[in-house]
Amino acid sequence: MTEFQAGPLSLSFGRKQVLHEVRTEVLRGGTMTALLGPNGSGKSTFLRAVAGVIRANGPIMLDGMNLARMSVQEKARYCAYMPQLLPPPVRMSVVEVVLLSLRLGGNYVGASAAMERVDAVLASLGIMHLADAMMGELSGGQRQMIGLAQALVRSPKLLLLDEPLSALDPRYQFIVMDALKRETVLRNMVTLVVLHDPAVALRQVDSAMMLRTGRVIASGVVEDIVTPEIMAEAYGVRARIERGSDGAAMVSVEGVV
Amino acid sequence: MKERSNTESVQRALLCRRLLIIALLLSGLIAAVLWNLVCGASHLPLDLLLKALFSGPDDHLEGSAGVILWQLRLPMVLMSAVTGLSLGLAGAEMQTVLDNPLASPFTLGLSAASAFGASLAIILGLYIPGLPSEWSIAGNAFLFSIGSAFLLEMVVRLRGASAETVILFGIAMVFAFQAMVSMLQFVASEDSLQDLVFWTMGSVTRADWTKLTLLSSVFSAVMIWSFRDSLPLTALRFGDDRAAGLGVDVRRVRLAALIRISLLAALAVAFSGTIGFVGLVAPHIARRLVGEDHRLYLPAAALSGGIILCLACLAARTLVPGEVLPVGIMTALVGVPFFLGIVLRREKTE
Ligand SMILES: Nc1ncnc2c1ncn2[C@@H]1O[C@H](COP(=O)(O)OP(=O)(O)O)[C@@H](O)[C@H]1O
Ligand SMILES: [Mg+2]
């Protein structure tokens, strides 16, 4: 069973401390965890630190290995990271872009097997029709989907996604969350995803952690995190959580506190 | 499953087309070199040319044809080809690692820095004993070009340094080094002045076989080295964070690229003076032709640079009968409108 635990991680930019001993619970393979919190609370910074894009002090343990001690190349074998910034409209075709990710992954499997994996990922994200398009012809949301495919195609043990829904229409938001849940279970991944909408988290993920000004203010099962009290503390809003007739949870924000 | 084989064949067709384009560029470069050999103050008909070419440098079968070819035209034309290849490759890598479509050794001051380094070596007589003087001049040019490259990279890494800021900083470096070269010219003695003027206006008329050998060896080594980094360089096009997430050691790749760029810029300047805009234009042509997979993009940019400079050389030698204009003037005439074009297009998209 895959097990992951990061932190406590602390990090400063110059004299400004952005992360204060942020740590995750012990997360298991096949589960999705949402990283929640208001703008500027340090979600992206934490994810970048876990991905090793920036250095933070503290252990990042995956199945007994300390990712914090690994070189970038070595780490990329176990961990895939998708940053918040959308992929730019580079002059390359979609398939080339996704293949690039596999080639750099350190466990390249040969041309035809690689092509098969690329196709499988594009199909599971419902973007097979974009396979031969050039990146420059795509919309921001479509490029975001390609960025996600770059991360998913490596079938990592640890998947780190920074706001994967930010540029997507409702249909693709649903498709992405659905595909993530499916792949997470299928490949027994630990998936850590930054979401800016707590309502999406409440419906789609298993556990969550809430950040505010670089500190974890709550973490655990998602139902215990997305609550009116914690929403008020983290975002400064008055929120109501309701169960629809199908049992699905809904979050409505009624004002600010 | 039908869809799958379809995608695969589309990809293969795309790759074949791009490889064909590279082959065409290579033939284009060879054709441009031959065209240069034929044209000039005295016309060399193709059959005479080929005969002289195949009888080698020592066997002057046709007397004057052999001399014109082996001592005058061939070094000059090959020099413009290899200089163009070098500038094209340097520009391509520079636009990638600085993430800036206006970057090139010329526009960001590496060429000016190299010219200053080379001038300084001449004025101060900084010659390493036992080595040809070309080496010391090129070496000093390299010191200054790599210094300015690292300064640029520092500015890029500073938070908030936008593409525009970097360009302005580069232009400031161009001005500063040009002023210093002018100052050297002012204090220089009469005969070294001749040398210095040459650097401020690029020209390939001083080519000889020593310089040519040196530049071609460095270009070949750098081309192989950058080709080996072509996957990580491609990943850099997707931004530092994404590249690092894909397993690229961003700092190492960028450092290696800056060393390569500085080497090429310094040698090109030390031997042929400041030739602008080739390094700026060639990468844009290459991107249009073969896309941005750097395994194809880097060779295509180098070849485009070679073709541009060979054609510019041809124009410089034939435009005014009996005169050889500095080739840098030719590339500027074409390059400046192109530069403005990129600036204005950027304005529009933002
Ligand atoms: N490279 C950086 N240099 C300095 N400060 C930064 C940098 N990146 C982020 N910050 C600061 O760190 C804080 C957290 O940012 P971030 O992690 O991006 O927040 P979030 O993703 O939760 O919106 C913010 O106050 C931001 O200004
Ligand atoms: Mg963020």
Side-chain angles (χ1 to χ4, degrees):
Chain A
M1 195 67 181
T2 303
E3 264 191 12
F4 170 78
Q5 205 226 332
L9 300 181
S10 295
L11 194 144
S12 305
F13 288 116
R15 284 165 62 193
K16 180 176 172 191
Q17 188 164 358
V18 176
L19 297 181
H20 302 261
E21 310 217 322
V22 176
R23 54 179 297 179
T24 66
E25 308 278 309
V26 176
L27 308 177
R28 293 184 194 288
T31 63
M32 273 175 74
T33 305
L35 210 50
L36 302 172
N39 297 332
S41 57
K43 306 182 293 295
S44 296
T45 306
F46 180 67
L47 214 63
R48 292 175 78 210
V50 171
V53 173
I54 41 175
R55 284 240 167 261
N57 304 319
I60 301 162
M61 304 303 295
L62 180 69
D63 285 344
M65 302 175 291
N66 188 352
L67 297 187
R69 294 253 166 91
M70 288 184 183
S71 69
V72 205
Q73 287 100 320
E74 207 182 346
K75 196 168 189 168
R77 282 215 293 272
Y78 307 106
C79 158
Y81 162 64
M82 188 192 102
Q84 186 169 4
L85 211 63
L86 303 186
V90 170
R91 256 184 204 272
M92 285 169 75
S93 79
V94 166
V95 170
E96 275 183 293
V97 171
V98 183
L99 271 178
L100 174 71
S101 170
L102 270 184
R103 287 217 173 84
L104 282 163
N107 35 15
Y108 186 60
V109 281
S112 74
M115 200 64 201
E116 230 160 273
R117 276 168 69 173
V118 170
D119 283 341
V121 165
L122 294 183
S124 90
L125 291 176
I127 47 172
M128 202 58 196
H129 59 288
L130 299 179
D132 298 322
M134 298 295 285
M135 287 293 276
E137 303 164 356
L138 303 184
S139 72
Q142 287 173 322
R143 276 185 274 126
Q144 188 166 42
M145 296 294 287
I146 310 306
L148 184 61
Q150 270 189 322
L152 264 180
V153 74
R154 312 183 118 183
S155 18
K157 284 185 166 192
L158 175 63
L159 182 63
L160 307 168
L161 306 172
D162 199 344
E163 302 212 10
L165 310 180
S166 61
L168 301 183
D169 62 30
R171 178 184 151 83
Y172 275 103
Q173 287 192 13
F174 184 87
I175 289 178
V176 164
M177 288 313 289
D178 203 49
L180 283 180
K181 269 195 295 195
R182 200 172 55 235
E183 299 287 325
T184 298
V185 172
L186 194 70
R187 302 182 192 283
N188 193 31
M189 294 188 290
V190 173
T191 301
L192 197 55
V193 51
V194 174
L195 292 173
H196 72 186
D197 186 353
V200 174
L202 191 54
R203 283 167 170 242
Q204 308 276 14
V205 305
D206 306 297
S207 60
M209 53 194 276
M210 184 69 84
L211 289 181
R212 209 190 67 168
T213 58
R215 290 187 173 80
V216 181
I217 58 172
S219 78
V221 185
V222 70
E223 285 82 6
D224 298 339
I225 306 302
V226 184
T227 61
E229 298 74 38
I230 294 177
M231 293 272 289
E233 187 187 346
Y235 298 96
V237 293
R238 261 187 298 116
R240 206 149 48 91
I241 317 280
E242 289 166 4
R243 293 267 153 201
S245 51
D246 56 349
M250 282 182 292
V251 179
S252 54
V253 173
E254 297 172 329
V256 293
V257 292
Chain B
M1 276 299 109
K2 194 155 161 281
E3 209 172 6
R4 181 180 117 60
S5 62
N6 187 22
T7 299
E8 210 170 340
S9 61
V10 170
Q11 285 301 311
R12 191 161 302 138
L14 193 66
L15 182 66
C16 286
R17 206 183 72 215
R18 288 170 172 175
L19 287 174
L20 183 69
I21 291 174
I22 300 232
L24 285 177
L25 284 172
L26 185 60
S27 336
L29 181 61
I30 294 169
V33 166
L34 286 177
W35 193 4
N36 259 291
L37 292 178
V38 171
C39 296
S42 62
H43 181 72
L44 274 185
L46 200 59
D47 54 338
L48 210 61
L49 172 83
L50 290 177
K51 211 191 269 172
L53 201 59
F54 286 116
S55 55
D58 305 315
D59 183 13
H60 295 158
L61 192 69
E62 298 293 330
S64 68
V67 174
I68 291 178
L69 181 70
W70 285 96
Q71 287 174 17
L72 294 174
R73 270 186 212 170
L74 204 53
M76 178 168 76
V77 172
L78 289 182
M79 194 67 176
S80 55
V82 184
T83 305
L85 286 164
S86 304
L87 291 175
L89 178 59
E93 283 210 64
M94 211 162 165
Q95 294 187 2
T96 295
V97 295
L98 298 182
D99 190 20
N100 194 321
L102 290 170
S104 78
F106 176 71
T107 45
L108 294 188
L110 263 63
S111 298
S114 306
F116 177 70
S119 312
L120 206 61
I122 292 184
I123 294 273
L124 300 181
L126 292 175
Y127 297 121
I128 309 164
L131 279 179
S133 63
E134 281 89 355
W135 283 82
S136 336
I137 296 174
N140 215 38
F142 174 64
L143 286 184
F144 278 86
S145 102
I146 197 155
S148 58
F150 279 106
L151 212 56
L152 266 176
E153 206 260 345
M154 241 172 58
V155 171
V156 173
R157 263 192 298 133
L158 283 182
R159 222 153 70 81
S162 65
E164 282 70 21
T165 312
V166 174
I167 291 295
L168 291 178
F169 184 82
I171 290 172
M173 281 213 292
V174 173
F175 288 152
F177 282 113
Q178 275 177 354
M180 288 196 276
V181 170
S182 305
M183 197 169 72
L184 287 183
Q185 286 175 358
F186 204 73
V187 300
S189 62
E190 198 59 35
D191 48 334
S192 42
L193 188 61
Q194 271 297 316
D195 282 328
L196 295 192
V197 170
F198 160 79
W199 263 292
T200 47
M201 271 192 293
S203 158
V204 284
T205 50
R206 295 197 171 195
D208 61 40
W209 289 101
T210 318
K211 294 176 186 167
L212 191 56
T213 317
L214 196 58
L215 184 59
S216 331
S217 335
V218 170
F219 169 75
S220 314
V222 165
M223 184 75 230
I224 293 168
W225 185 11
S226 53
F227 195 76
R228 289 179 48 143
D229 267 353
S230 54
L231 275 181
L233 282 170
T234 311
L236 274 192
R237 288 293 297 119
F238 292 86
D240 286 8
D241 275 18
R242 198 173 294 267
L246 292 174
V248 173
D249 186 343
V250 174
R251 291 191 60 149
R252 185 200 67 74
V253 173
R254 185 165 279 141
L255 182 78
L258 287 175
I259 293 173
R260 291 191 294 262
I261 293 162
S262 309
L263 263 174
L264 293 176
L267 261 69
V269 168
F271 299 152
S272 314
T274 311
I275 299 175
F277 300 103
V278 177
L280 175 77
V281 177
H284 287 269
I285 296 176
R287 264 194 289 271
R288 294 210 153 235
L289 290 178
V290 300
E292 294 193 73
D293 181 339
H294 280 49
R295 290 172 301 174
L296 301 166
Y297 163 67
L298 293 178
L303 289 169
S304 307
I307 294 175
I308 294 172
L309 201 54
C310 279
L311 294 182
C313 180
L314 188 69
R317 289 167 52 228
T318 53
L319 219 56
V320 183
E323 285 279 349
V324 180
L325 302 173
V327 71
I329 295 180
M330 291 296 127
T331 58
L333 284 179
V334 183
V336 171
F338 195 92
F339 183 80
L340 285 176
I342 305 172
V343 172
L344 294 178
R345 215 182 44 217
R346 280 179 62 84
E347 289 269 290
K348 216 168 66 184
T349 54
E350 266 154 27

